[in-house]
């Protein structure tokens, strides 16, 4: 199953947002300053964002612990409960738009909404689409032993096991290769 461009964009934004949190294997918070928030907004290609403030930073940071458990829940029902609570925090006013050279697509937040409201609604709806499509297992955490980053598996066969941010898969494959060579006496 493939999702629409805007759904995949929102899911990518969500993964990036959740992965800014410090975790068990990394105590680094990569969303502590306005500059980091501005970089996040630019990387995720948000359109029509006004000047960001400390309030925006605090509101966006507060979203992370709400979204993070969705990547570890083991049932559609618990995921749906979390997602419904998240979406209820925002103001949804669906509208069609074709900005910045993208084809027509739906924005679920109202024009002029705060960045946190936009993330809440857009990412919440994207998660709702994943759950309603019966694809919750595509939301997971990296399987590398020293990483717990969130990831969305958009591969056809649901085979993605490692995050992209830290090249976890490559590191583990190289380590396994070296171990095999060592075991065979090469």
């Amino acid at each position: 199953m493939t999702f629409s461009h805007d759904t995949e964009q929102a899911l990518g934004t969500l993964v990036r947002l959740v992965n800014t949190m410090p975790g068990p294997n990394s105590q680094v918070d990569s969303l502590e300053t306005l500059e980091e928030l501005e970089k996040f907004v630019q990387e995720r290609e948000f359109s029509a964002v006004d000047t960001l403030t400390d309030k925006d930073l605090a509101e966006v940071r507060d979203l992370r612990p709400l979204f993070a458990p969705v990547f570890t829940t083991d049932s559609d029902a618990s995921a749906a409960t979390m997602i419904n609570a998240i979406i209820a925090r925002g103001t949804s006013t669906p509208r069609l738009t074709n900005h910045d050279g993208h084809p027509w697509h739906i924005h679920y937040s109202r024009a002029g909404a705060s960045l946190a409201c936009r993330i809440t609604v857009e990412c919440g709806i994207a998660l709702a689409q994943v759950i309603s499509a019966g694809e919750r297992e595509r939301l997971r955490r990296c399987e590398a032993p020293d990483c717990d980053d969130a990831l969305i598996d958009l591969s056809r066969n649901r085979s993605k096991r490692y995050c992209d941010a830290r090249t976890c898969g490559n590191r583990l494959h190289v380590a396994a290769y070296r171990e095999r060579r060592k075991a065979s006496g090469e």
Side-chain angles (χ1 to χ4, degrees):
M1 156 154 266
T2 37
F3 298 100
S4 67
H5 168 75
D6 48 315
T7 297
E8 289 185 12
Q9 177 72 12
L11 292 169
T13 296
L14 177 59
V15 165
R16 173 72 173 84
L17 177 66
V18 168
N19 289 340
T20 65
M21 293 175 58
N25 296 311
S26 169
Q27 299 308 311
V28 176
D29 186 328
S30 59
L31 194 59
E32 290 188 304
T33 66
L34 277 174
E35 291 78 23
E36 290 170 330
L37 180 59
E38 289 166 353
K39 181 179 176 187
F40 172 81
V41 166
Q42 184 179 21
E43 285 175 359
R44 297 311 308 161
E45 299 178 354
F46 279 94
S47 61
V49 173
D50 293 330
T51 302
L52 296 168
T53 66
D54 288 330
K55 180 181 178 190
D56 293 310
L57 178 61
E59 289 174 348
V60 171
R61 287 174 50 87
D62 288 346
L63 295 176
R64 301 179 304 174
L66 300 175
F67 281 113
V70 176
F71 290 90
T72 55
T73 187
D74 60 357
S75 79
D76 289 354
S78 63
T81 299
M82 287 184 253
I83 294 165
N84 286 336
I86 290 167
I87 294 170
R89 293 173 55 104
T91 304
S92 181
T93 308
R95 60 193 166 86
L96 284 167
T97 182
N98 67 341
H99 61 86
D100 299 327
H102 294 291
W104 287 103
H105 58 282
I106 301 171
H107 277 200
Y108 293 95
S109 56
R110 71 188 186 295
S114 71
L115 179 60
C117 181
R118 290 174 62 186
I119 292 171
T120 299
V121 175
E122 301 294 334
C123 294
I125 295 292
L127 285 171
Q129 291 173 342
V130 170
I131 301 306
S132 68
E135 299 287 341
R136 181 186 46 80
E137 69 275 1
R138 291 182 180 276
L139 305 170
R140 59 176 78 109
R141 293 289 183 159
C142 181
E143 291 182 20
D146 60 341
C147 183
D148 66 339
D149 280 358
L151 65 89
I152 177 77
D153 181 358
L154 296 175
S155 67
R156 287 182 188 236
N157 62 358
R158 296 176 186 90
S159 62
K160 185 173 182 178
R161 298 174 45 207
Y162 306 108
C163 68
D164 295 328
R166 294 173 44 203
T167 63
C168 291
N170 283 343
R171 285 185 303 106
L172 290 172
H173 289 115
V174 167
Y177 170 77
R178 288 180 179 156
E179 190 61 33
R180 284 191 307 273
R181 286 190 60 160
K182 183 177 167 184
S184 69
E186 288 182 36

